[in-house]
Amino acid sequence: MSNRSYPSVWSDLREVEFSQGFLQAGPYRTRYLRAGDESKPTLLMLHGITGHAEAYVRNLAAHGEHFNTYAIDFIGHGYSAKPRHPLEIEHYIDQLQHVLDTLGVERAYLTGESLGGWVTAKMAAHHPDRVERIALNTMGGTMANPQVMDRLYTLSMAAAKDPSWERVKARLEWLMADPAMVTDDLIRTRQAIFEQPDWLAACTANMALQDLEIRKRNMVTDEELASIKAPALVLWTTKDPSGPVAEAERIASLIPGSALAIMDNCGHWPQYEDAETFNRIHLDFLLGR
């Protein structure tokens, strides 16, 4: 048996003081992974489309030292409530506001990857009173590339209709610059979510944003980016499958006073692929260092 490095959810969490649970956030049963405690400022970590809280298992320990950190499952995702209607950005924002209300938190730090970044940017633009600092990690919502949208839709729906090992693996490999990061452990974690009886309906609902007409009315406009008052970090990668570094530069140029960070040799999940570098850049920004 080889002695190669093998990241897994449990090995990532083995020395982390964390909890897993559910909040009844308004109408939305919301699953979370949590590290840190109430003496610290609140940080919400928000995953991408068809994703789940485990996207952040390699970041909970570092962030829990400084923040009351919650990685949540969006509605229509993971093990959270699954509304039976197409999910648009306003629905995710509604969930976030209910989560903050349930936690008794007026203002929080937000970090989001892909869809999570899209929701974070909209939240900061329209509800500035609830946001301290934001990190936009390979964010979605500023582009409508039919090839990317079609690829994402095809891979996601194929895995929803038939959550076989190979289909789930293919969906995860889209995220990574290095396919070796898609371990058996990660595949099984996501496969179990995709095997839920209500997953096909949920995936159909959360894929609404890959429909061009729906996407266009939900996109983050240049005006919205320019209106963001919260200190912002725009983080991108050199191998992101959703768009080029030039898009990150454009986004950063529009958000007043924002910081820009580019990570090498990562795809759409830099917080997982190179957690050490991500945690350093991310915490330096969130803590104002």
Side-chain angles (χ1 to χ4, degrees):
M1 186 173 179
S2 71
N3 195 30
R4 68 184 177 89
S5 173
Y6 184 97
S8 76
V9 171
W10 189 247
S11 66
D12 289 328
L13 294 174
R14 67 188 182 274
E15 293 184 64
V16 184
E17 203 169 324
F18 81 102
S19 61
Q20 175 180 231
F22 291 84
L23 297 170
Q24 189 59 45
Y28 310 118
R29 187 171 189 255
T30 298
R31 176 197 175 230
Y32 65 83
L33 299 176
R34 179 193 182 195
D37 61 66
E38 291 178 2
S39 70
K40 303 175 175 71
T42 298
L43 168 66
L44 299 186
M45 295 179 149
L46 309 172
H47 61 74
I49 199 81
T50 76
H52 37 91
E54 284 84 0
Y56 291 101
V57 290
R58 309 189 82 188
N59 318 110
L60 282 173
H63 289 77
E65 290 180 23
H66 304 279
F67 294 94
N68 187 20
T69 305
Y70 286 84
I72 69 167
D73 285 348
F74 274 135
I75 52 173
H77 292 75
Y79 298 102
S80 285
K82 297 179 177 62
R84 294 305 182 104
H85 59 75
L87 291 171
E88 301 190 39
I89 298 301
E90 64 179 329
H91 302 122
Y92 299 118
I93 288 178
D94 190 49
Q95 180 193 18
L96 277 197
Q97 298 222 69
H98 279 296
V99 166
L100 293 178
D101 291 345
T102 302
L103 294 175
V105 173
E106 187 61 38
R107 298 168 68 89
Y109 292 73
L110 300 181
T111 182
E113 169 261 322
S114 194
L115 171 64
W118 188 344
V119 174
T120 294
K122 286 274 195 178
M123 183 84 165
H126 294 283
H127 303 280
D129 55 317
R130 308 223 67 176
V131 173
E132 289 285 0
R133 284 178 172 245
I134 63 169
L136 307 171
N137 171 14
T138 62
M139 72 172 284
T142 64
M143 298 173 285
N145 181 322
Q147 287 77 30
V148 172
M149 291 158 61
D150 181 66
R151 180 70 175 151
L152 198 52
Y153 179 87
T154 301
L155 286 170
S156 299
M157 291 305 295
K161 290 172 183 173
D162 171 23
S164 66
W165 194 263
E166 287 307 315
R167 288 186 188 278
V168 175
K169 182 182 180 190
R171 176 62 182 87
L172 284 163
E173 285 180 342
W174 183 86
L175 299 168
M176 308 291 189
D178 179 5
M181 292 298 292
V182 180
T183 62
D184 287 359
D185 181 84
L186 189 59
I187 295 168
R188 182 59 195 137
T189 298
R190 183 165 288 202
Q191 185 182 41
I193 290 169
F194 286 11
E195 286 173 344
Q196 294 174 99
D198 56 359
W199 180 253
L200 180 56
C203 191
T204 302
N206 67 46
M207 279 289 113
L209 291 170
Q210 307 312 315
D211 175 271
L212 189 57
E213 187 177 326
I214 295 174
R215 189 182 190 90
K216 282 183 174 176
R217 67 171 176 255
N218 282 274
M219 285 178 70
V220 182
T221 67
D222 290 359
E223 291 74 23
E224 285 172 322
L225 291 171
S227 76
I228 292 174
K229 301 288 194 295
L233 169 67
V234 179
L235 190 147
W236 214 263
T237 70
T238 55
K239 297 184 178 180
D240 181 68
S242 73
V245 167
E247 181 63 11
E249 294 169 342
R250 190 186 75 82
I251 293 166
S253 74
L254 289 165
I255 301 175
S258 64
L260 175 66
I262 309 298
M263 286 178 57
D264 291 325
N265 301 315
C266 292
H268 207 51
W269 262 25
Q271 79 285 352
Y272 188 90
E273 282 197 270
D274 184 357
E276 184 179 356
T277 301
F278 177 90
N279 290 340
R280 175 177 50 77
I281 292 170
H282 200 241
L283 281 168
D284 281 351
F285 167 74
L286 292 178
L287 297 169
R289 296 196 294 221

